[in-house]
Amino acid sequence: MLTGAPMATGEKDAATFNGKLRRHPAEAGFPLGTAILLGIGTAGVVVAGRKPKPSKRQLLTGAVATSAGVAATFVLLDALLTHRRVTRLDRHLHNYFRQHRTKREERFVDATTVTGNGWFIAPLAVLTASALVADDESRLAMTVLWSVAGAGIWSEAIKRVVRRERPPEGREESRDFSFPSGHTLFAGSLYGLLAYIVSTRKSLGTWRFPAAVALALIAPWTAFSRMYLGRHWPSDTAASAALATAWNATLITFLRSGNPQ
């Protein structure tokens, strides 16, 4: 049974049993800075295209609430990944897929995981936002763009704070950190939000429901693909999917606050 690739000699003294590296003191401000940035940015989404405009007090309350939620998320995720049971389950599932996947299956899954790649997600978000602006839906367009931008901020900030090593296959593909799964976070944020938007489009008739389901299924498939290919530990993808869901719930709540009818 595999137990994960050994760490480089220079890393042994700086690593724990699950590959999480000790942080540099200068990185202590990342959680707080990210929380504030996402809080202010989300409050800005509330303003975009909303009539009547929210009061400054409402905006401040929303920004503070979002920032507090983001900061709490950093703490919870960091605590989760230091738990030995999580690490043991990660290695067990990782080894299971590593031993049972075939080259043919691997090629197919690898070809479909592009749906969560940032280089694919960003242009798709821009095209979607452009279509929404043309349809006089500036607030929705702003939310779509902020959903993807926020996912990028989440991904980069948490990677720098948690600093978890990738599985062996993941290290062959990328030298950055394993947690969170950027593909999963991007896919969950964009496709989840698009599924909500499509499901509310009455002009699409009954077709909007199967279309929304199809969009919603892309995210869990992307999460599975990253775990199946060994690019991320299973807990990376599971937590990233949960994080994307929470992020979408926050944005959709703000969207609905401007449409009380």
Side-chain angles (χ1 to χ4, degrees):
M1 179 70 73
L2 297 171
T3 58
M7 289 172 284
T9 303
E11 296 174 341
K12 289 181 179 179
D13 294 337
T16 61
F17 67 93
N18 64 346
K20 188 187 75 170
L21 304 181
R22 292 179 183 145
R23 309 176 196 46
H24 188 280
E27 294 177 345
F30 263 90
L32 181 59
T34 303
I36 294 174
L37 180 58
L38 289 172
I40 294 175
T42 305
V45 171
V46 178
V47 177
R50 177 175 171 178
K51 297 178 181 179
K53 299 293 184 183
S55 66
K56 292 181 179 180
R57 183 174 181 178
Q58 289 175 316
L59 286 175
L60 180 61
T61 301
V64 170
T66 303
S67 298
V70 173
T73 300
F74 273 95
V75 175
L76 291 172
L77 291 178
D78 197 15
L80 170 69
L81 294 177
T82 60
H83 201 291
R84 290 180 180 272
R85 289 185 179 179
V86 173
T87 304
R88 284 198 295 267
L89 179 61
D90 272 342
R91 297 194 183 281
H92 175 77
L93 290 175
H94 172 77
N95 293 334
Y96 175 84
F97 286 117
R98 188 176 189 179
Q99 292 167 2
H100 290 84
R101 63 176 177 253
T102 66
K103 286 293 183 182
R104 184 177 180 180
E105 293 171 347
E106 188 174 347
R107 285 194 296 269
F108 170 76
V109 176
D110 195 27
T112 61
T113 196
V114 69
T115 53
N117 189 293
W119 294 107
F120 181 87
I121 289 284
L124 179 59
V126 171
L127 288 173
T128 302
S130 299
L132 289 169
V133 169
D135 200 28
D136 199 26
E137 293 279 7
S138 61
R139 190 163 184 243
L140 275 177
M142 182 74 173
T143 306
V144 168
L145 294 176
W146 182 239
S147 172
V148 173
I153 295 170
W154 271 114
S155 180
E156 185 63 23
I158 296 179
K159 282 180 186 292
R160 288 176 177 269
V161 171
V162 176
R163 298 172 64 89
R164 191 185 201 193
E165 282 195 354
R166 286 178 183 263
E169 299 96 319
R171 268 174 273 172
E172 293 174 4
E173 179 192 62
S174 177
R175 299 304 300 176
D176 70 350
F177 296 111
S178 185
F179 185 85
S181 164
H183 282 66
T184 302
L185 194 48
F186 276 125
S189 298
L190 179 61
Y191 299 118
L193 183 59
L194 292 183
Y196 166 77
I197 292 174
V198 168
S199 69
T200 60
R201 295 279 163 174
K202 295 182 179 180
S203 60
L204 297 177
T206 56
W207 284 102
R208 68 185 188 274
F209 297 114
V213 171
L215 284 167
L217 289 176
I218 297 176
W221 171 257
T222 302
F224 171 78
S225 71
R226 304 306 288 172
M227 174 181 67
Y228 178 84
L229 294 170
R231 308 288 167 74
H232 289 276
W233 300 107
S235 63
D236 292 340
T237 60
S240 298
L243 183 57
T245 300
W247 179 230
N248 270 334
T250 300
L251 294 175
I252 291 171
T253 298
F254 278 119
L255 274 176
R256 292 173 64 87
S257 70
N259 301 283
Q261 71 276 17

